[in-house]
Amino acid sequence: MSVDAEVDQTRTDERVAAILVSLALAANNAGAYALSIVAARLLAPSAFGELSSLLAVLVIGVVPAMGLQTVVALRVARKPQDNGTLLALGLTTSAIVAAIGLILAPVLVFVLHLDSVVPALLLAVTLGPLTLLGLFHGLLQGSGRFALLAGLMSLEGVGKVGGSLLGLLIGGDATGALAGTAIGSYLVIFCGWVLCGRPRPRKAGWHAGEVLHAAQAMLALVLLVNLDLVLARHTLPAAEAGEYALGAIVTKIAYWLPQAVGVLVLPRFANGDDRRRILPAALAVCAALDAFVLLVSFAFGSRLLSFIGGSGYAASTMPVWPFALAGSMLALVQILLFSRLAAGDRRVTVLMWTTVVVETVLVTTWLHSSAAQVVTVAACCAGGLALSGAVLELRARK
């Protein structure tokens, strides 16, 4: 095969991988929304609120899995690793996360006003396999096996969402849904273990610093994606906060649309020369994809709210484009975060958490008289964080 033919084949493989990963991510997100819709129709408002709050805690609880995936993907991409030692790392991390979940179960009962400790215990039991799943994602991602990674992501959606729906239909409450989530997650873990070659755990050094650093940086990112919605709920009147929740869906769309870019480029960031060469292209692709979301939000304005939420929001005049801008900036932040994590730059974590604090202080103490003010703060903070990350990147190149 000629050099040109090899280049063409590589580009084709990359496009196919991007499409497969994008479809898997889109299917998972669609499944999560479908679960919320079905649960809202099947459960009483109080039961739906209980399930929604537990699922929100689950989203935060899987952040260590994201950190584990990032660390493993980078290590595998840099040089061949013994999957057995990495499996030991994953098992240890998942055991710690599950143990913390079990310890905090009584706290969840108090904070979320649960009638029983069983749903909180089921959530803790689910965190173990979901954390370990981050290991299998990282193994496949770091080795460039994106077709298998997309398949595992799809199985994850089927196991988690399908299990939750089945449990919801059988049990008719949050306990049944979480029991289904737990069972489905363990089935997905078995599939991931098989896809990764059925490794056996081997004793190895515990890379706590790497995983903790990546996990706290990813936690800050997850908080920033959801923080403005929480602050709006806290500071705005109920009706306006409801409108804001619809606008936040546009933020999520803009943030999730380029997710496949981060999945594909992270392993290549492991090499310094590749990282410096690929990062501008990755940022450009993210910007181009989110430019479409911004264009649609400009063109249709508040009519998007009635399209998403129904005729009850037809009279809304809340601007939508700042939500799209906030999500777009956070998508860029994620790519820059991956680049700095790959370079071992711990300053980026300080920047992330500083932005969380700044946004919280600005909204809670000053800029919360309208939904437009809250989302403007969110967009400006995300933009400032993206700019700061770009400055760190440029300084590192000198």
Side-chain angles (χ1 to χ4, degrees):
M1 183 181 292
S2 66
V3 174
D4 289 341
E6 289 181 355
V7 171
D8 290 340
Q9 183 62 43
T10 300
R11 289 175 178 172
T12 300
D13 292 342
E14 289 177 349
R15 293 191 189 102
V16 171
I19 292 172
L20 291 175
V21 172
S22 297
L23 289 175
L25 288 169
N28 280 359
N29 291 328
Y33 285 122
L35 174 61
S36 296
I37 292 172
V38 172
R41 295 177 180 238
L42 291 179
L43 300 177
S46 59
F48 176 65
E50 178 182 327
L51 178 60
S52 297
S53 62
L54 287 166
L55 291 177
V57 173
L58 188 62
V59 170
I60 297 173
V62 298
V63 168
M66 300 165 63
L68 180 63
Q69 177 181 345
T70 302
V71 169
V72 170
L74 289 172
R75 290 176 68 87
V76 171
R78 287 192 182 105
K79 63 180 180 180
Q81 301 282 319
D82 180 3
N83 286 357
T85 59
L86 292 177
L87 179 58
L89 171 64
L91 288 170
T92 306
T93 305
S94 62
I96 291 174
V97 172
I100 293 174
L102 290 172
I103 293 171
L104 293 179
V107 178
L108 284 182
V109 174
F110 173 75
V111 173
L112 301 181
H113 307 292
L114 304 179
D115 296 328
S116 167
V117 74
V118 175
L121 292 175
L122 285 171
L123 187 143
V125 170
T126 305
L127 286 176
L130 291 182
T131 301
L132 187 57
L133 190 60
L135 168 77
F136 298 130
H137 282 168
L139 289 174
L140 296 174
Q141 183 182 10
S143 58
R145 291 177 286 176
F146 294 112
L148 287 178
L149 177 61
L152 182 57
M153 287 178 174
S154 300
L155 288 172
E156 178 187 359
V158 172
K160 286 169 54 181
V161 177
S164 300
L165 286 173
L166 188 59
L168 184 61
L169 292 172
I170 294 175
D173 56 11
T175 300
L178 287 172
T181 305
I183 295 171
S185 298
Y186 279 99
L187 292 175
V188 174
I189 283 301
F190 176 76
C191 295
W193 177 69
V194 172
L195 288 176
C196 291
R198 303 183 182 184
R200 306 287 182 181
R202 294 184 178 87
K203 187 176 180 180
W206 168 234
H207 305 281
E210 283 184 83
V211 176
L212 180 60
H213 175 220
Q216 66 171 319
M218 298 306 295
L219 175 59
L221 180 61
V222 170
L223 286 177
L224 285 171
V225 173
N226 298 279
L227 181 60
D228 63 317
L229 181 57
V230 176
L231 295 175
R233 180 71 179 176
H234 177 68
T235 58
L236 297 176
E240 198 169 1
E243 288 186 5
Y244 197 98
L246 281 181
I249 294 177
V250 178
T251 301
K252 301 294 193 304
I253 291 172
Y255 173 70
W256 283 108
L257 184 61
Q259 284 295 295
V261 178
V263 174
L264 294 174
V265 301
L266 177 62
R268 302 178 71 176
F269 281 173
N271 180 283
D273 291 336
D274 285 347
R275 181 172 64 251
R276 286 185 285 271
R277 178 172 54 85
I278 294 171
L279 178 61
L283 292 173
V285 171
C286 285
L289 290 171
D290 277 333
F292 172 75
V293 182
L294 272 169
L295 181 62
V296 171
S297 65
F298 267 120
F300 294 94
S302 57
R303 284 177 291 176
L304 277 178
L305 297 180
S306 59
F307 175 77
I308 296 172
S311 58
Y313 297 90
S316 174
T317 58
M318 184 178 68
V320 178
W321 67 266
F323 291 93
L325 180 61
S328 302
M329 291 297 101
L330 288 171
L332 298 179
V333 165
Q334 185 180 52
I335 299 297
L336 290 164
L337 173 61
F338 283 158
S339 175
R340 291 294 82 212
L341 287 176
D345 189 345
R346 294 180 179 265
R347 292 173 298 175
V348 69
T349 306
V350 177
L351 279 177
M352 300 287 293
W353 284 106
T354 300
T355 305
V356 171
V357 173
V358 169
E359 183 174 332
T360 302
V361 171
L362 285 176
V363 173
T364 55
T365 62
W366 183 23
L367 299 170
H368 55 251
S369 62
S370 67
Q373 278 195 350
V374 176
V375 71
T376 298
V377 172
C380 290
C381 286
L385 181 57
L387 180 61
S388 299
V391 170
L392 282 182
E393 190 68 38
L394 289 173
R395 286 183 176 177
R397 295 183 180 218
K398 293 181 180 179

